[in-house]
Amino acid sequence: MLSGKERQLLDALSPRAEAEGVEIVTVEIVGAKKAPTIRVFIDTPGGVGFDELASAQAWINAIMDELDPFPGAYSLEVSSPGIDRPLRTLEHFARFAGQTAVVKTSRPLDGRSSFAGAIVSAEGDEVVLDVDGEHVAIPFDGIKRAHLKGTIDFSS
């Protein structure tokens, strides 16, 4: 799910994040190769507000300065995972069991590579989704990208 460079950055940030009581949900590198944007999505048990973002931005920026991950310029964005929270680990899938996820696979499974359905389970080496009333087992190592499908209730 992560590129080699994204994995390297996640591994470098994780020890400090744990010490700070912050979960690094995921790391993304997007944009032009000459001036990429590094996106670091964080969460805490109490959620993410301005204070958490400001604090995390400071220590993440310091680590990035030490690593100097790209020659030349890059941008750093630190944010909450948002309503369409990325799912990167089996634990992420298990934590959000019952919620709707969108999963893209790296290779087709029964002729398709995109699935949306309620997370039934995440055990062993697979994620099970309820897709239109049918349980679909997706090998975890075949998942290219996944996120929760956020919903907003405007009725209240």
Side-chain angles (χ1 to χ4, degrees):
M1 294 172 105
L2 296 177
S3 71
K5 180 65 91 173
E6 290 166 340
R7 169 62 54 200
Q8 177 187 12
L9 296 175
L10 176 69
D11 290 346
L13 295 171
S14 290
R16 178 68 185 267
E18 189 174 321
E20 296 285 338
V22 172
E23 174 191 8
I24 304 288
V25 175
T26 197
V27 175
E28 293 179 349
I29 300 171
V30 297
K33 289 187 186 247
K34 288 191 177 192
T37 298
I38 301 170
R39 293 182 181 150
V40 180
F41 296 94
I42 65 166
D43 203 359
T44 70
V48 178
F50 180 77
D51 291 340
E52 291 81 12
L53 287 172
S55 173
Q57 177 81 30
W59 61 261
I60 290 171
N61 194 49
I63 292 171
M64 291 297 170
D65 284 347
E66 281 180 33
L67 291 174
D68 196 20
F70 296 100
Y74 65 89
S75 297
L76 175 64
E77 295 176 2
V78 178
S79 83
S80 72
I83 193 168
D84 289 332
R85 179 192 174 97
L87 301 169
R88 181 181 49 82
T89 67
L90 278 169
E91 192 278 330
H92 287 168
F93 283 96
R95 185 184 329 161
F96 295 102
Q99 295 191 38
T100 301
V102 176
V103 176
K104 307 281 184 194
T105 59
S106 52
R107 56 193 172 276
L109 242 164
D110 295 328
R112 60 191 284 197
S113 56
S114 182
F115 301 87
I119 302 168
V120 175
S121 66
E123 297 174 2
D125 60 353
E126 66 184 18
V127 172
V128 178
L129 299 181
D130 182 332
V131 179
D132 300 325
E134 228 177 278
H135 284 196
V136 178
I138 302 170
F140 182 73
D141 65 357
I143 296 175
K144 181 178 181 178
R145 178 170 69 245
H147 65 86
L148 291 178
K149 183 175 182 183
T151 57
I152 300 174
D153 181 5
F154 290 107
S155 64
S156 47

